[in-house]
């Protein structure tokens, strides 16, 4: 009954919008809370890496739930740099509309990628922009489909916004998009947003995926992911 009430409340607050992801998040958070309350063991101490790491992060690291793990990007991308990036073409980078809430601004960026080298190239290009480089956080996630192995090469980066990269990658997985990289820049405005910051990060990502035709703008967005993302990859070339 408690879960049902939460789902109904989420629906009522977002009438006219796609609520599939919101319901998934609501169910996940409900189960995490129950798991957390049932576990008497103490949770490991989490290091605070951002101004807003607060009580809400206990949910994201509770026993019984794991977000997609963000790997250490530095060593892998450093190796790629030594292999010669001149053989790869820089993908075309799109910049989405920003979202501002209580003086914090979030802006998405998207690029079609088919190799990890292109991921580094996109990041390097974005950081050439002084405004983007000065952002408090540049969270990113990507998914690349390997046709020969029929598997995904995917990873994410929090850039100090704990759990944001994993949640962003989780969104890409739910939407079943491939051969795409999404970066969300956040400029912190001095007011703590709590869990709302994650909502804005994912909404930014969803919006630019819709704008670039990786997903549909209304119900059942995941169905359009495979076809559209392949078309976008060809355009990027």
């Amino acid at each position: 009954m408690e879960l049902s009430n939460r789902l109904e409340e989420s629906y009522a607050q977002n009438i006219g919008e796609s609520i599939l992801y919101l319901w998934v998040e609501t169910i996940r958070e409900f189960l995490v809370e129950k798991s957390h309350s049932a576990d008497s063991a103490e949770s490991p101490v989490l290091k605070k890496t951002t101004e807003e790491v607060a009580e809400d992060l206990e949910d994201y690291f509770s026993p019984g739930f794991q977000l997609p793990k963000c790997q250490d990007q530095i060593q892998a991308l450093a190796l790629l740099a030594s292999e010669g990036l001149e053989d790869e073409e820089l993908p075309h980078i799109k910049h989405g509309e920003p979202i501002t809430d209580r003086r914090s601004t979030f802006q998405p960026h998207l690029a079609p990628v088919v190799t990890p080298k292109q991921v580094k190239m996109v990041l390097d290009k974005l950081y050439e922009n002084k405004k983007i480089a000065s952002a408090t956080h540049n969270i990113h996630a990507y998914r690349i489909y390997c046709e020969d192995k029929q598997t995904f090469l995917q990873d994410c980066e929090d850039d100090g916004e704990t759990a944001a990269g994993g949640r962003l990658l989780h969104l890409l997985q739910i939407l079943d998009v491939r051969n795409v990289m999404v970066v969300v820049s956040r400029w912190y405005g001095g007011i703590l947003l709590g869990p709302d910051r994650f909502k804005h990060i994912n909404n930014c990502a969803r919006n630019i995926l819709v704008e670039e035709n990786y997903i549909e703008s209304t119900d059942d967005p995941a169905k359009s992911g495979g076809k559209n993302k392949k078309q976008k990859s060809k355009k990027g070339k």
Side-chain angles (χ1 to χ4, degrees):
M1 181 63 68
E2 181 183 348
L3 177 58
S4 176
N5 289 338
R6 291 194 191 186
L7 294 175
E8 289 180 5
E9 180 181 359
S10 177
Y11 173 77
Q13 293 175 349
N14 298 273
I15 293 177
E17 300 180 11
S18 176
I19 62 168
L20 175 61
Y21 182 73
L22 291 176
W23 273 9
V24 170
E25 285 294 284
T26 299
I27 295 170
R28 181 191 63 77
E29 290 173 1
F30 176 82
L31 294 177
V32 168
E33 288 175 8
K34 295 302 179 183
S35 173
H36 186 68
S37 62
D39 193 343
S40 58
E42 294 184 359
S43 299
V45 178
L46 301 176
K47 182 178 179 181
K48 295 185 178 181
T49 58
T50 183
E51 306 94 330
E52 298 184 55
V53 176
E55 294 179 357
D56 61 293
L57 283 181
E58 292 179 5
D59 288 343
Y60 306 133
F61 295 96
S62 296
F65 175 76
Q66 288 186 338
L67 284 167
K69 184 178 179 181
C70 293
Q71 303 296 330
D72 184 0
Q73 301 267 323
I74 300 176
Q75 293 182 352
L77 295 181
L79 289 174
L80 292 172
S82 64
E83 295 177 2
L85 297 179
E86 63 276 3
D87 295 334
E88 296 282 355
E89 181 180 355
L90 175 66
H92 184 62
I93 303 173
K94 293 283 188 175
H95 306 280
E97 291 296 320
I99 294 175
T100 300
D101 180 16
R102 285 163 281 179
R103 298 190 296 185
S104 279
T105 300
F106 304 79
Q107 184 181 24
H109 321 280
L110 178 149
V113 292
V114 293
T115 68
K117 291 182 182 180
Q118 289 183 327
V119 171
K120 174 170 172 53
M121 293 173 71
V122 170
L123 290 174
D124 289 345
K125 185 63 177 178
L126 287 173
Y127 276 102
E128 289 179 6
N129 183 303
K130 292 183 179 180
K131 181 180 179 181
I132 294 175
S134 67
T136 311
H137 309 288
N138 283 298
I139 304 106
H140 77 259
Y142 67 87
R143 298 187 82 214
I144 298 171
Y145 184 66
C146 305
E147 295 280 356
D148 54 341
K149 299 180 180 179
Q150 295 187 344
T151 58
F152 282 95
L153 177 62
Q154 55 191 14
D155 210 340
C156 57
E157 171 59 45
D158 295 333
D159 194 30
E161 186 70 285
T162 306
R167 291 170 68 90
L168 181 57
L169 178 57
H170 186 53
L171 174 66
L172 300 186
Q173 292 171 337
I174 288 178
L175 298 176
D176 192 29
V177 295
R178 62 187 68 183
N179 298 335
V180 66
M181 174 182 187
V182 176
V183 181
V184 178
S185 301
R186 188 225 175 149
W187 292 269
Y188 178 59
I191 300 176
L192 303 181
L193 301 186
D196 283 350
R197 66 194 187 275
F198 297 116
K199 179 180 69 175
H200 295 322
I201 290 168
N202 279 6
N203 282 344
C204 273
R206 184 194 304 274
N207 290 344
I208 198 167
L209 287 167
V210 170
E211 291 169 8
E212 297 305 310
N213 298 320
Y214 281 86
I215 61 173
E216 294 179 356
S217 58
T218 53
D219 295 336
D220 209 9
K223 288 185 178 180
S224 65
K227 181 173 66 176
N228 288 331
K229 58 207 167 193
K230 290 181 181 179
Q231 292 175 349
K232 294 303 294 183
S233 295
K234 292 179 181 178
K235 281 188 178 181
K237 295 180 181 178

